[in-house]
Amino acid sequence: MNNDVITMYCTNFILATSNDAALDWPTLVAVAIGVILLITAARWAIRKAREEQGQGQTAAPVPKRGEKSAQPDKKQEKKFVESAQTFEEGLKKTRSDGFISRLSGLFKGKQLDAALLEEVETVLYTADIGVRTTEKLLQGLRDGLNRKELTDGTKVWDYMEREARAMLVAAQSTEKEVVSRPRIVMVVGVNGTGKTTSIGKLADRYRRSGEKVLLGAGDTFRAAAVDQLEAWAKRAGVDIYKGAEKQDPASVLFDAAKKAADEGYDVLLADTAGRLQTSTNLVEELRKIHRVIGQAVPSAPHEVWLVLDATMGQNAIQQARIFLDAVNVTGLILTKLDGTAKGGVVIGICDEMKIPIRFVGTGEKIEDIRPFDTEAFIRALFGT
């Protein structure tokens, strides 16, 4: 029932009452009762519709395509942060089953001597932190033993924590703030590492913070990749540029960069191929994409983030070297940290690559990706 209908019945009633000769009083009373009932019914229907509309709204509504997100709801943001897995939860397997628990068992109530140092060496070499990092830690232990500075398990444990923190801090210190708009991030990584999933999670995170986000579907060599990214775009409530079928990846991301610049996007997350016939082909393709994006938007891409699977241990370090040969990687995203006891690989990666870790995936939910925090990571890893 709308207002026009109500107005029509009210008008009829007024006309009727102004012409006593046309209608008798019983009829006028009936018309008046009818108008009252119609008004009551209309008000009830409007109130009901508003209640149903309010129940159907979410705390953080998805913006319309092409519109900038509204300012984030503070209560929703708090809920979002609290529901994400913490580093303590993500590193649970590393503490209970990985090298940390094994080292902890060695140090309890023991003095550091040559025999204990040999046991520590065995643990570290099998801890997926890398040969180079292991040698560095062992050399420090030998020096401390010779100077009689590391005389007991507590001091050795403090040394390990201190050295691990220093390695992470050294890598994080290379991080640079990007203030460009749009901020164009080229995301690289081998298929299966969680690259597309990480892009989707980041898109959701940025959208929740009030930024206008565009995804660029540059992995055109894999048929399912574009569909998967499109599904994540819908889930995160952001836009996607996917180009024509079988379009050259560099061409797709050139157009996506132009669209981001012309239409006022804050962030472009550019997906790329993760596997070609040979590593040489992959390297050349990534170099081409990097170059072409820069032609679309000067100084872009502003960031190149490499996605690595934490469950791969030392193999993740080998993968990183392939991509470092191709493009200037400026940050790392470490995924599947919650599903492995090889969390120590983070220390090895930072020590060898000197590349800051930007985000860490700690679970399967869309909110389970969080900015890397050195102190929080060290506390969670060593249980301090």
Side-chain angles (χ1 to χ4, degrees):
M1 182 65 63
N2 56 38
N3 290 332
D4 291 336
V5 175
I6 297 173
T7 302
M8 179 186 72
Y9 276 98
C10 290
T11 301
N12 289 340
F13 175 70
I14 294 170
L15 290 174
T17 55
S18 64
N19 189 359
D20 293 343
L23 294 173
D24 54 19
W25 277 108
T27 302
L28 290 174
V29 171
V31 172
I33 293 174
V35 170
I36 293 171
L37 291 175
L38 284 170
I39 293 174
T40 303
R43 288 177 176 173
W44 178 87
I46 292 170
R47 185 171 64 252
K48 187 70 175 176
R50 287 175 177 171
E51 290 175 354
E52 290 176 353
Q53 184 180 11
Q55 292 172 356
Q57 291 178 343
T58 60
V62 175
K64 294 180 180 180
R65 301 290 177 179
E67 290 185 355
K68 190 177 179 71
S69 299
Q71 290 300 313
D73 186 292
K74 297 301 182 182
K75 293 182 179 179
Q76 179 70 9
E77 283 296 305
K78 183 178 179 181
K79 180 180 179 182
F80 173 76
V81 172
E82 290 175 346
S83 64
Q85 282 208 55
T86 63
F87 280 125
E88 286 81 3
E89 294 169 322
L91 290 168
K92 185 176 181 181
K93 288 189 177 181
T94 299
R95 289 197 310 274
S96 62
D97 304 330
F99 82 103
I100 288 295
S101 63
R102 294 163 64 192
L103 286 177
S104 177
L106 287 178
F107 295 152
K108 285 182 178 178
K110 296 182 180 179
Q111 296 291 318
L112 181 63
D113 54 22
L116 181 59
L117 187 59
E118 187 173 338
E119 291 185 70
V120 173
E121 183 176 346
T122 300
V123 171
L124 290 179
Y125 273 121
T126 58
D128 288 289
I129 62 176
V131 174
R132 174 180 168 179
T133 305
T134 295
E135 284 293 340
K136 186 181 294 186
L137 291 171
L138 288 174
Q139 188 58 51
L141 287 174
R142 294 188 191 102
D143 293 343
L145 180 60
N146 292 334
R147 293 192 298 266
K148 297 183 180 181
E149 294 175 350
L150 303 178
T151 55
D152 58 54
T154 301
K155 291 182 178 179
V156 174
W157 190 253
D158 290 342
Y159 161 80
M160 296 293 291
E161 181 179 338
R162 186 170 62 251
E163 287 300 303
R165 178 183 287 104
M167 292 175 182
L168 296 180
V169 169
Q172 296 305 112
S173 65
T174 63
E175 183 175 350
K176 297 179 180 179
E177 184 179 1
V178 177
V179 295
S180 300
R181 287 293 181 274
R183 185 168 76 256
I184 298 179
V185 182
M186 181 177 166
V187 185
V188 301
V190 173
N191 292 343
T193 57
K195 175 165 59 74
T196 307
T197 299
S198 296
I199 291 173
K201 289 180 177 181
L202 288 172
D204 179 72
R205 185 180 188 89
Y206 288 137
R207 194 268 303 169
R208 285 174 182 269
S209 69
E211 295 189 273
K212 185 179 177 183
V213 183
L214 178 66
L215 304 186
D219 188 0
T220 59
F221 292 108
R222 189 163 57 97
V226 176
D227 293 339
Q228 185 182 4
L229 190 66
E230 187 170 21
W232 271 107
K234 291 179 180 178
R235 184 176 177 186
V238 302
D239 295 336
I240 181 172
Y241 183 85
K242 55 184 180 178
E245 186 176 355
K246 299 297 183 181
Q247 185 178 344
D248 177 68
S251 173
V252 171
L253 293 180
F254 177 92
D255 293 341
K258 280 290 189 183
K259 178 181 176 68
D262 294 342
E263 299 183 18
Y265 285 89
D266 297 302
V267 182
L268 167 62
L269 298 174
D271 191 14
T272 60
R275 182 179 63 189
L276 295 178
Q277 288 79 1
T278 66
S279 61
T280 302
N281 289 345
L282 176 58
V283 167
E284 291 304 318
E285 183 62 37
L286 293 177
R287 286 174 178 168
K288 177 183 175 182
I289 290 173
H290 191 282
R291 184 173 62 254
V292 168
I293 290 177
Q295 293 170 357
V297 177
S299 77
H302 306 103
E303 300 255 29
V304 179
W305 290 348
L306 170 61
V307 180
L308 294 174
D309 181 348
T311 64
M312 298 191 68
Q314 293 187 45
N315 288 333
I317 297 176
Q318 299 301 321
Q319 281 187 11
R321 290 195 177 99
I322 296 175
F323 289 94
L324 285 172
D325 289 339
V327 288
N328 179 30
V329 175
T330 61
L332 302 175
I333 300 174
L334 200 64
T335 64
K336 308 177 187 179
L337 193 62
D338 60 311
T340 182
K342 301 177 181 179
V345 71
V346 175
I347 300 172
I349 289 172
C350 287
D351 182 45
E352 290 201 31
M353 301 299 159
K354 297 295 188 295
I355 300 173
I357 297 176
R358 298 300 178 84
F359 291 92
V360 176
T362 57
E364 296 181 356
K365 299 191 294 294
I366 194 169
E367 61 266 27
D368 284 334
I369 190 167
R370 42 197 312 125
F372 185 75
D373 183 319
T374 297
E375 286 303 317
F377 182 86
I378 289 296
R379 287 197 301 269
L381 186 64
F382 287 90
T384 55

